[in-house]
Structure formats: C-alpha cells, structure tokens
Amino acid sequence: MSVRVGKTDRAAAFPVAAKTALKNDQLRANVRRATDTIRGKRALRVEEMPDWQQLRDTASAIKAHTLRHLDEYLVEFEKNCELAGGKVHWARDADEANAIAIGLIRQYSEGNSHVEVIKVKTMTSDEVQMNVALEAAGITPIETDLADMIVQMGHDEPSHIVVPALHRNRFEVRDLFRETMHRPELTAEPEDLTGAARAYLRERFLKVKIGVSGANFAIAETGGVCVVESEGNGRMCLTMPDVLISLIGVEKVIPRFEDLEVFLQLLPRSATGERMNPYNSLWCGVHAGDGPKAFHVILLDNGRTKLLHDEMERETLECIRCGACLNACPVYRETGGHAYGSIYSGPIGAILSPQLQSLEHSRSLPYASTLCGACYEVCPVKINIPEILIHLRGRVVREDQATLGGKLAVENLAMQGAAAAFQSQRRYEAAQRLAQAGQMLFRKGDQLENLPGMAGGWTKYRDLKAIPKQSFRDWWKSRSKGASA
Ligand code: SF4
C-alpha cells in the first residue's frame, strides 16, 4: 500500500518553503486580507448562536462515537447505498482509488478516444492526485468549483482547504481568465469574473456526461451522500451528468440523517461565516428520470484506518474540513498554504499529512505552529490540535533518536546534556557556572546576542536575557548566611 497526500513527497520541507513564502509580499497580503474577512464573518455568526459550545460538544461526541465504530457504520453505509441503487468500491490507497475511477470512466465512455469529466468538491481527489492519473490515462478533468477552476487554469496548487485560490486577488484572476478564456475585454469586477466563469462552465455542464465529486458527509442510515457549497456549480455537477462517481474518505461517514442537523449549523458558520450554505445537495442512489443514471462511491482509506488505533491520533479524523483553524493560525496567515507542501495546509494539515504518511515526507509539519491554541478555540468539532502537534513532535524526536545520525545530532546531544544536568544539583550548578563564563563573548548589556549554532535561531529574532552573575540559589545561600550571622 502506498499512501500519498498530494505532492507532499516531492515538496520542500516546511522551514525551507516558508522562507520563500515570507518573501512574497503580494501572497502574504492576499492571504491576510482573505483570512481577516472570513474570520470577521465567522465571529459574527458564531456570536449569534447561544448553544455554540453545546453544538461543538455534540459534534465531537458524534464523530468520536462514529470513529470508534467506523467498521460497522461503513458496512451499514455500503448496504444502504447499494439498496438505493448505488455501487460502493473500496480503495486502500491513492493508486487503487485512481484505478477504480479510471476503470469506471472508461466503462461509461464506451471507447470514446477523448473523454472529459467534470469535477467538484474533490479535495480527496487532490489527495490522491487524481487529475494527474486521469490525464495520464487520456481523460481530461475539468474543475467546476470556481476556486478549483482558478487553481487548475493557473497550473497552481490549492492553498486553503475551503478557498483553494485564496492566495490570488481578483486582478490576478482577471489576467488568468483573459489569457485562458481568450476574453481580453474582461475587467476585475466580481460580476464580470463570475459571469465569465459561469459562461465557461455552463458549456461544460451541458456536454460532459461523467461527474466526479467528493462529499462532506456520507450517511450510514440512508446510504446517502451530502455536499454543501456556495456557488451552485456542485449542484450542476451532481445532477446533470449521466454518471456520478463520488470519492469519499472513510472518515466522512456519520451514523444518522438527523446528525446532519448539528454539522450543517457548525460547518457553514466556521467555514465561510454563513448561517447556512446556499446549496445543500443530498442524494441517495439513483432515481429513474431524475439525476445521474449510475452512481458509484469510492470509499478511500489512504492511511486513515491506521490512525484509529491511537486515541489521540484518531481525533484528527473528526475534522469536517471547515478551514477555521487555518484562518486563525498565525503561522498559516504569514506563510499561506503552499509552504505546507500538502493539500491539507494550516494546523489541520500539520497534523493530518504527517500521520497519513507516517511522518515520512512531512516530519517538519508538526513544528509549523506556535502552539498558541487559536486553532483549538475555533475548531467546530473541538479537535485538540496543539496536543496532537506535541504528540507528533514526540514521535519525530523518538524516530530521530533511533538512528545513529539522530543520536549524534547537536540538538539531541544538547538535550541529553541538559537532561543529565537537571538530574543532579552538582551538575546543574557546574553547567550554570560554565554558561556564566561562556556567555561573556555574546553579552550586550543584560542581553545575549548572536549565539552560535542552533541557539542563534533564537537570538536572531527574540530577546534572551543573560544569565545573572549571582544565581537565585547563591543569593538564597548568602541571604541565609547573613541572617544567621
Ligand atoms: S481541524 Fe477543526 S477547524 Fe480545522 S478544518 Fe478541521 S474541523 Fe475545521
């Protein structure tokens, strides 16, 4: 089984990518402006909900319960989906999911040499890099969510889990549309841009026969699927094609239809600051004369079930992808999403991607946080992201310490030395005297500056007080002596 999360395996480590992002003033301004707007709207909508905290508790309890019984609910979903006329396929990893999707598209395109599919709400398909696989198989994917379309047209990567093109302002979008749609007359007015996108997409909705979607929720009790969105493109993509293929991560299942009541209050307010999503699409199997004639669900694992064994790691799967933690995170707000090297960016990306991939390609991500707790405060399902980040940092350190290179690394040696010093008063006092003597070279007034090596990373950006000539212990001893004299 090979678990892939977008292009993480080829991406630069966070500290390297973040440095590049920090030099891009336009990107930072775009990200800050967009996240400020969404945060403001979210705060207003949350304030008007007197039972917000109870809703969060309920959502967390539903998710925790579902994940403890995920095997049962998935089988229930499969049974009810197929009873309603759908067909469920199981994919262990990215390759299997893509192979199933390509097989289905070929089956329904009856040997046509040039096949197009329309896609919507498919972050999971970005996770498995489905567009790359489809193109390699001679199939053209067309993204229909406006932001995803902008990303695809610009040969770009998504930078936010709800607003994938958040790093682009409307002038950049105008230039992109002018070039790709051959519409040199376009202005940067939102009406002009949405009008151009609408005309471009309508043409495709009318002629393309196969749709690929993701899902926000899969309901075990009914075998139905739910997609929420703001533009109506999703509704078109879900209802107009003859065949609908929905790629759904296994953690998206919820037990009962009435559970939606909780999530459909929390999700839009957290994601875009709306009281409810303008379009809530729910469908169940196939119905003669209404909607697609064939409906397939691909249930994707891709490393998810591995997280079920550990209580803390399992909590990560409760995420409903609202993006609120990204908008609140001071690190994300400075760097934007590309620096995370994964389609899951921000705090949720910092815990999800490393776990799906067993830390392999994203071991720097658990450090991409100030641990300020803002993500935990806004999370509608109360995922304790800071706690999971610390847990993952522990795993990174233990994995490093298990290798010879890790054992001999300066940081490890320094930490081992500190641990030894803190275990004995004699050693601690000796280390303190050594540090008092050694700091002379770097002392400026009562501050230390330009420390060498790793410690320099601290003094480059922050103040560090020099170790005082007299320690508290020495002062206490001299004070006690004075008192007894
Ligand atoms: S972790 Fe919480 S706040 Fe972040 S995207 Fe998921 S549900 Fe939203």
Side-chain angles (χ1 to χ4, degrees):
M1 189 168 92
S2 99
V3 174
R4 268 205 313 275
V5 186
K7 291 182 180 164
T8 321
D9 49 348
R10 278 170 280 148
F14 182 82
V16 179
K19 263 190 193 143
T20 312
L22 288 172
K23 288 182 194 142
N24 188 339
D25 293 339
Q26 181 66 62
L27 175 131
R28 293 173 66 201
N30 295 348
V31 171
R32 213 168 307 143
R33 192 176 313 115
T35 50
D36 277 348
T37 308
I38 306 173
R39 267 158 39 119
K41 283 172 71 183
R42 176 201 166 272
L44 282 177
R45 295 294 164 245
V46 167
E47 241 169 55
E48 61 191 25
M49 297 287 287
D51 59 346
W52 185 253
Q53 295 309 328
Q54 287 98 310
L55 277 169
R56 288 177 79 206
D57 288 334
T58 310
S60 175
I62 293 170
K63 279 286 186 177
H65 165 84
T66 315
L67 290 169
R68 276 200 304 276
H69 303 276
L70 191 60
D71 51 345
E72 295 160 35
Y73 286 120
L74 284 171
V75 170
E76 188 183 342
F77 171 79
E78 179 185 36
K79 187 185 84 190
N80 290 326
C81 178
E82 298 204 340
L83 274 176
K87 172 82 186 118
V88 173
H89 310 258
W90 299 81
R92 275 175 297 191
D93 60 15
D95 291 341
E96 275 193 15
N98 289 331
I100 294 167
I102 291 168
L104 289 168
I105 294 167
R106 286 211 174 113
Q107 178 192 331
Y108 286 105
S109 52
E110 295 157 354
N112 288 346
S113 56
H114 181 222
V115 182
E116 291 183 333
V117 295
I118 45 175
K119 293 179 70 219
V120 78
K121 294 294 273 184
T122 48
M123 183 176 280
T124 321
S125 95
D126 286 337
E127 177 184 322
V128 301
Q129 294 280 281
M130 187 181 277
N131 284 3
V132 177
L134 293 181
E135 278 163 11
I139 300 161
T140 306
I142 302 165
E143 296 292 348
T144 67
D145 177 271
L146 183 55
D148 283 326
M149 186 181 102
I150 293 166
V151 169
Q152 188 182 33
M153 279 181 171
H155 306 288
D156 205 349
E157 293 289 325
S159 67
H160 189 281
I161 65 176
V162 174
V163 199
L166 164 132
H167 56 292
R168 298 240 185 192
N169 64 28
R170 61 196 169 100
F171 300 98
E172 293 170 278
V173 174
R174 174 203 58 194
D175 295 344
L176 188 63
F177 280 10
R178 278 181 177 175
E179 195 188 321
T180 326
M181 296 177 184
H182 310 293
R183 302 269 309 263
E185 82 290 357
L186 274 183
T187 73
E189 289 309 308
E191 296 77 29
D192 250 20
L193 297 177
T194 47
R198 185 178 297 129
Y200 176 85
L201 287 172
R202 286 270 155 103
E203 218 179 285
R204 273 122 195 116
F205 285 134
L206 289 171
K207 72 170 195 212
V208 177
K209 300 289 176 215
I210 301 176
V212 176
S213 86
N216 292 95
F217 305 101
I219 304 136
E221 182 185 42
T222 62
V225 181
C226 173
V227 159
V228 300
E229 39 120 14
S230 302
E231 297 166 8
N233 295 344
R235 174 77 48 95
M236 306 273 271
C237 191
L238 300 167
T239 53
M240 294 197 68
D242 290 341
V243 180
L244 177 60
I245 302 166
S246 297
L247 176 67
I248 306 176
V250 288
E251 82 285 10
K252 294 286 176 71
V253 75
I254 54 172
R256 295 171 306 269
F257 184 75
E258 66 175 13
D259 296 330
L260 277 178
E261 177 204 330
V262 175
F263 295 107
L264 294 187
Q265 292 185 71
L266 289 169
L267 181 54
R269 285 182 164 84
S270 302
T272 50
E274 290 166 306
R275 290 193 178 98
M276 68 180 284
N277 289 99
Y279 295 89
N280 295 306
S281 299
L282 286 130
W283 69 101
C284 196
V286 289
H287 303 272
D290 184 15
K293 297 183 189 72
F295 171 49
H296 292 266
V297 173
I298 305 172
L299 285 174
L300 176 74
D301 181 352
N302 207 32
R304 288 163 171 76
T305 52
K306 200 178 54 192
L307 273 61
L308 293 173
H309 307 298
D310 182 300
E311 203 174 325
M312 193 178 290
E313 296 183 6
R314 188 164 65 212
E315 205 181 327
T316 311
L317 296 178
E318 293 181 17
C319 174
I320 56 171
R321 310 278 189 270
C322 71
C325 57
L326 280 70
N327 306 329
C329 175
V331 175
Y332 175 88
R333 282 161 55 80
E334 289 304 321
T335 62
H338 291 159
Y340 293 78
S342 156
I343 51 140
Y344 301 114
S345 51
I348 182 60
I351 59 171
L352 183 60
S353 303
Q355 291 186 78
L356 290 181
Q357 296 191 305
S358 308
L359 298 173
E360 232 177 296
H361 301 291
S362 35
R363 46 200 308 113
S364 62
L365 287 182
Y367 295 91
S369 168
T370 60
L371 299 180
C372 66
C375 49
Y376 181 36
E377 237 166 72
V378 295
C379 178
V381 283
K382 284 193 149 177
I383 299 176
N384 195 334
I385 298 175
E387 202 171 73
I388 301 172
L389 284 165
I390 292 169
H391 171 79
L392 292 177
R393 288 180 188 188
R395 264 182 59 194
V396 173
V397 170
R398 283 191 295 280
E399 283 185 17
D400 281 348
Q401 283 174 338
T403 65
L404 183 62
K407 280 192 183 87
L408 297 176
V410 180
E411 188 178 4
N412 185 44
L413 293 175
M415 287 298 165
Q416 300 296 336
F422 280 114
Q423 277 164 16
S424 132
Q425 184 180 339
R426 193 175 48 78
R427 284 200 292 258
Y428 175 76
E429 285 174 354
Q432 202 172 34
R433 279 194 293 276
L434 201 65
Q436 271 165 345
Q439 70 179 356
M440 300 312 291
L441 293 171
F442 309 100
R443 192 169 181 150
K444 279 232 170 102
D446 65 345
Q447 299 287 330
L448 294 182
E449 289 181 6
N450 302 321
L451 283 180
M454 269 174 20
W458 184 275
T459 49
K460 198 169 169 189
Y461 301 107
R462 299 172 180 88
D463 292 338
L464 182 63
K465 282 258 184 215
I467 301 168
K469 284 197 184 90
Q470 188 182 35
S471 71
F472 176 77
R473 281 165 187 271
D474 291 341
W475 170 80
W476 188 260
K477 271 186 217 156
S478 64
R479 178 182 170 277
S480 308
K481 269 185 204 156
S484 59

